[in-house]
Amino acid sequence: MKFLNLKWAAQGLLVLALIGLLLEDARAQTAISLDSAEALTLRRHPRLRQSDREIEEQRALKRGSFAPANPDFLFSAPTGEMWAPGVVQTIDLPNVYRRQRQVAQAGITLAERNREVSRASVLRDTRLAYLSLQFAEAQVRQLTYQDSLFRALRVATERLFAAGEVTSLQRISTDAEARQVTVQLQQATADQRAAQRRLGLLLGQPTAALTTTTDLRRTGPELGQVGGALLSSLPAEDSTALVRSPTLAAATQNVALSQSGISLVRARRTPALTVGYQNQGYDYSPTRYRFQFGVSVPIWFWTYRSQLQAATARSQAANYQLQAQRLELSGQYQQALADSRKFAASLGYYEQTGLPQSQAIISQSQRLFRAGEVSYLQLILSLNQAFAIQNTYLTTIRDYRQALVELNYLRGE
């Protein structure tokens, strides 16, 4: 009786230890939704902080857009008998300072456009990283099921081989298939850890064991509806579809900045005003306070001509960059659109036909094999065919979502 009590106590402690391990593993996992991941990334990503500092830099430059030349403080002896202080200040015409302010404002707007580009890039990277983790988790679940199935098949084959009902070749083949699936499961687990780290780096939590809140395989029907609605609402022309592209907006603003630079160079070619207070005269002088007024004439024409040529070349380069950017974005948009339509058709097939057939193949092949109506070779071929269909279905969901993420990125969504 005492032995039985010790046995039950040992088993109880073992169960409690297993429960503790399971609870510890559950606490170690951090589930996060896509919306939460996006919000966290937007708060912590250094690229957006860099963009914020660049906007502050441009705003500070705008506050200093009214920047007259430093005054000249000097001493002179106009009568040859005494030294007297004086000051001279050169001031540009108001049009120059107005153009400088316009250039500074264009710089602020360009920095803000670049921040939108950074924000869109960060969101795209986060969505793709989250999708990679979803795909890795789904693969682990799929291969875990395959591994358990082939392990059971290997145990059954060992029993049949011991009874002399299967050959040694069938036994070795079953063991090889089971071990191959085990290796694939190990690889998928490693991919899952890598995907967790990639997403964790974006979130500022590189060591967190992150998990997603949605099974990627269960999102197929919803993806078909959302993707179909998006594809049906897209305009036919690339220019219309890309009108809200942040990359295109930044390139357009760069052209505006370069054009305002041309206006500033032209404004600086105008004369400037010079005013000063030179020195005091004698008590008996009719003009005791001596002021001076003048005009600064831009006679060094080659300097201004070179500056104007440089500003014009810069503006032309910005225009060509805008055209190249528009061509590149149009090509990327057409490719993403073609991929989305292609994967939409594939997803429809797997949802309606492929996936139900794979499930039927798995269940019927096992039932017929246990009944002795199909051979071992037919069973293995059937299972591999069914699992290949399911894996392709999972890959199609991932590729379709990637194409939609790219489409939304290009459209500024």
Side-chain angles (χ1 to χ4, degrees), residues 231 339-351 396 400:
L231 292 177
D339 290 341
S340 299
R341 290 172 176 169
K342 174 180 64 178
F343 295 129
S346 299
L347 181 64
Y349 159 73
Y350 285 109
E351 287 284 347
T396 301
Y400 193 10

Side-chain angles (χ1 to χ4, degrees), residues 99 102-107 110 250-266 307-322:
R99 296 299 182 185
Q102 291 175 354
V103 170
Q105 182 59 47
L110 179 59
T252 303
Q253 181 58 31
N254 189 36
V255 173
L257 176 61
S258 64
Q259 291 174 348
S260 61
I262 295 177
S263 300
L264 177 60
V265 171
R266 288 174 175 170
Q307 292 176 355
L308 182 59
Q309 290 175 349
T312 303
R314 189 181 306 114
S315 177
Q316 293 173 349
N319 274 286
Y320 287 128
Q321 181 184 10
L322 174 60

Side-chain angles (χ1 to χ4, degrees), residues 57 147 226 309 341 381 402:
E57 174 192 3
D147 183 64
V226 174
Q309 290 175 349
R341 290 172 176 169
L381 292 176
Q402 285 180 344

Side-chain angles (χ1 to χ4, degrees), residues 349-396:
Y349 159 73
Y350 285 109
E351 287 284 347
Q352 299 174 7
T353 306
L355 195 60
Q357 286 181 343
S358 68
Q359 295 170 350
I361 290 173
I362 293 175
S363 60
Q364 293 183 20
S365 61
Q366 294 183 81
R367 179 177 57 82
L368 293 176
F369 178 73
R370 286 193 295 266
E373 299 181 14
V374 297
S375 64
Y376 164 80
L377 179 60
Q378 290 175 322
L379 173 64
I380 294 298
L381 292 176
S382 298
L383 291 177
N384 287 335
Q385 179 188 15
F387 290 136
I389 293 174
Q390 293 184 357
N391 289 331
T392 307
Y393 169 68
L394 187 60
T395 304
T396 301

